[in-house]
Amino acid sequence: MPRVWDVPVRDSTRVRDARVAAEDAAALAGLDERRTAAAALVATELATNLLKHAEGGQVLIDIVAPPVLREGRDESRVVQIAAIDHGPGIPDVPAALRDGFSTTRSLGAGLGTCLRLADDFGLHSTPGRGTVAVARVGTTPRGDGPPAGPAVRVWADGVSGSWSETPGPGTPGGAVPGWSGGVPGPEARPGPSDDGPAPVAAVRAGGVNIPYAGAECSGDAWAWVRAGERVTLMLADGLGHGPEAARASSAAVVALHRWAHLSPAEVLRQLHGALKGTRGAAVAVAQLDLRAGRLRFAGIGNVGARLRTDGTWRHLLSRPGIVGVHRPGTLREEEADWADDRLLILHTDGLPSRWTPPSGAGLPAADPAVTAAVTIRDASSPARPVRDDTAVAVLTPTPPERP
């Protein structure tokens, strides 16, 4: 079942709780002693920063799929550590990422430490609204050679008004290292086609999952899989919340890996059988054909989907029903072209009905888990927390290489 560690950080005693949660997640993910220590230190630094700079916040620790999937390779699960606050924001993000930088007379090792130890690291900050930081730690550091440090996805909307990619410590010549499987170089990128959408070089996915009222298990779950040139992102919301809701959404995740080669509508038909005997779930399935450059979507139940196209958002509609309990007789798939500016957000009904999608010039290039966390942060507040299990999953293009 989707185990999520939700640690509210309001005083110094919760910093230890964040560290212990990271160690527990690392054990479940199969990290060795060295990588477990890295995850624990990242969680400690992010929790400490919440107290120092934002008067508290929330640390979410989860075991997730990597943000990039490679064909024909079984990817290891990674520990994802997200810190979310509604604080004053960071006025100078590049400076804050440097080791030794401090505004509180400390050693200034916080974000610099996270950058150095994490496999990849993403950050969003808006003055007056707050900051989101997401770090992932896998079974082994990135690459097999000397550590070069991860690429940092800095989406400083409201600070610089743009997205930038900052090389990690030790990167020679300021070059940006590969991250999460790397980005194909220009010679590997397919050119445009006169017959329709261009093939897609690569995409990324990420998500954030918050269990209701700090429960150990979330009734929501997201997953993504790859079968040949088909990449499928699924979000499931088990009916209600608690362990039985988690059992339903977990069954959907397990079944998705068996049916990843099918279309979204066919996946939902197979999931309907797999979820019988559970409470059932609302499920949304989005599938991108990388060769054709086409996105297909189908959903059943109260799981929302919005697609950003040419700077505007459109709703993708699901059919009424509950997968595993009541499936509609016909399932309609929506289709759309995929391009470098596209972005897809799937969300469960823990978000308020009139939430506003994130915006900004750096949105398509931001880490997808950061986008998911910003979506949840901006739809809630310390006085108005999420009202149910809440999960957001995001599919984005892979940004081009830096010139």
Side-chain angles (χ1 to χ4, degrees):
M1 291 188 289
R3 177 70 170 94
V4 181
W5 292 261
D6 180 4
V7 183
V9 180
R10 299 300 177 196
D11 58 67
S12 59
T13 64
R14 303 313 300 269
V15 174
R16 176 187 178 278
D17 294 340
R19 175 179 61 79
V20 171
E23 291 171 343
D24 290 345
L28 282 180
L31 272 60
D32 63 18
E33 182 177 355
R34 182 183 174 207
R35 301 307 290 157
T36 296
L41 185 52
V42 168
T44 299
E45 295 294 346
L46 290 179
T48 301
N49 269 2
L50 291 177
L51 289 176
K52 286 182 178 179
H53 306 293
E55 298 184 355
Q58 182 178 27
V59 173
L60 294 165
I61 300 174
D62 199 358
I63 302 172
V64 302
V68 171
L69 298 180
R70 284 162 285 189
E71 185 179 6
R73 176 169 175 174
D74 293 331
E75 299 284 356
S76 299
R77 307 277 284 175
V78 300
V79 175
Q80 177 175 288
I81 305 164
I84 303 173
D85 70 64
H86 293 84
I90 301 174
D92 189 341
V93 172
L97 290 170
R98 291 196 299 266
D99 272 341
F101 177 83
S102 175
T103 59
T104 59
R105 298 183 180 179
S106 67
L107 294 177
L111 293 181
T113 296
C114 298
L115 167 59
R116 188 169 58 254
L117 294 177
D119 295 334
D120 47 24
F121 185 82
L123 183 74
H124 172 275
S125 191
T126 303
R129 182 174 294 179
T131 300
V132 164
V134 175
R136 298 184 192 89
V137 179
T139 54
T140 57
R142 179 194 327 279
D144 299 322
V152 188
R153 304 285 162 176
V154 178
W155 172 23
D157 184 40
V159 178
S160 64
S162 63
W163 166 86
S164 65
E165 187 174 59
T166 305
T171 305
V176 178
W179 65 286
S180 299
V183 181
E187 70 281 354
R189 293 181 180 275
S193 169
D194 295 333
D195 300 324
V200 178
V203 289
R204 299 169 297 150
V208 171
N209 194 348
I210 303 181
Y212 177 63
E216 289 190 357
C217 296
S218 174
D220 296 348
W222 71 273
W224 76 312
V225 294
R226 179 168 181 169
E229 294 301 308
R230 293 185 177 188
V231 173
T232 304
L233 176 66
M234 182 197 74
L235 184 62
D237 180 357
L239 199 62
H241 50 80
E244 290 304 309
R247 189 165 74 90
S249 59
S250 297
V253 170
V254 171
L256 175 67
H257 287 79
R258 295 201 303 267
W259 308 113
H261 60 287
L262 300 177
S263 69
E266 288 297 327
V267 167
L268 288 171
R269 292 188 181 96
Q270 296 296 336
L271 292 181
H272 183 68
L275 267 61
K276 286 184 176 178
T278 73
R279 285 186 178 181
V283 181
V285 180
Q287 185 176 89
L288 179 61
D289 186 321
L290 299 175
R291 187 180 301 276
R294 293 284 290 175
L295 180 75
R296 302 170 73 182
F297 172 85
I300 297 176
N302 194 16
V303 174
R306 295 196 195 183
L307 177 65
R308 185 177 187 266
T309 304
D310 299 326
T312 62
W313 292 90
R314 67 178 260 208
H315 290 267
L316 304 180
L317 301 179
S318 297
R319 296 291 304 276
I322 302 173
V323 178
V325 178
H326 172 68
R327 178 175 65 83
T330 59
L331 282 171
R332 174 174 168 264
E333 291 184 350
E334 294 195 57
E335 293 193 29
D337 291 341
W338 187 264
D340 288 344
D341 67 337
R342 304 299 193 257
L343 188 145
L344 176 70
I345 296 180
L346 306 181
H347 67 90
T348 61
D349 61 357
L351 287 187
S353 58
R354 294 188 177 181
W355 66 278
T356 301
S359 60
L363 179 61
D367 185 298
V370 171
T371 301
V374 169
T375 299
I376 292 177
R377 183 201 65 189
D378 290 352
S380 61
S381 71
R384 182 170 50 90
V386 296
R387 55 191 176 91
D388 194 357
D389 296 323
T390 302
V392 175
V394 176
L395 185 70
T396 72
T398 296
E401 287 185 310
R402 199 181 191 185

